Amino acid sequence: MTIRVQTLLAGELDVEEKDLFFFPRGLPGFPGFHRWILAGDDEDVIKWLVPVDCGALALPVVPPELVDPAYDANLPGSVLEELGAGSKDEVVLLAVLNLPRGNALKGTANLLAPVVVAPK
């Protein structure tokens, strides 16, 4: 089933329901938003996590390895179990960026608390 998501950055997007990320408890700071999409073209380095129910909000994200090639998340077994993943190889990690308005070159990436998703 296709749903239409209105976003501030990309306008209207048609997204397959199977491509949504579902966070039962929401994300830290956004507990009321449970369904998210990952927006951006394949060639874009920075993607955008956008809640389906609030397209005016968008979190810039990148794979943590782009920031630190030696990055190795210490994921507890309980997190993998909750996601239905057998190993770290079955999940995708996303580091949320903080890009200061007017000075994105002074941006930072949150490597201490990556967003962890299980694509399956």
Side-chain angles (χ1 to χ4, degrees):
M1 177 179 192
T2 301
I3 62 170
R4 179 159 288 159
V5 179
Q6 181 65 42
T7 71
L8 190 63
L9 291 173
E12 285 187 348
L13 299 175
D14 289 329
V15 181
E16 293 295 322
E17 200 165 330
K18 66 175 180 56
D19 294 331
L20 297 179
F21 294 117
F22 183 74
F23 298 94
R25 294 182 294 270
L27 293 176
F30 307 99
F33 301 120
H34 303 279
R35 301 179 312 151
W36 295 70
I37 61 169
L38 190 60
D41 294 328
D42 289 341
E43 64 272 3
D44 293 343
V45 174
I46 298 174
K47 303 282 195 261
W48 300 88
L49 263 180
V50 180
V52 170
D53 301 316
C54 182
L57 174 65
L59 302 177
V61 295
V62 296
E65 297 80 17
L66 282 178
V67 178
D68 179 1
Y71 183 78
D72 185 24
N74 183 16
L75 295 178
S78 60
V79 169
L80 294 173
E81 184 178 324
E82 184 176 347
L83 292 171
S87 71
K88 287 195 299 188
D89 296 334
E90 296 178 26
V91 298
V92 174
L93 301 176
L94 299 169
V96 177
L97 301 177
N98 174 16
L99 303 173
R101 187 181 308 244
N103 198 356
L105 294 178
K106 297 259 184 197
T108 60
N110 183 345
L111 297 178
L112 296 177
V115 175
V116 183
V117 294
K120 291 182 182 181

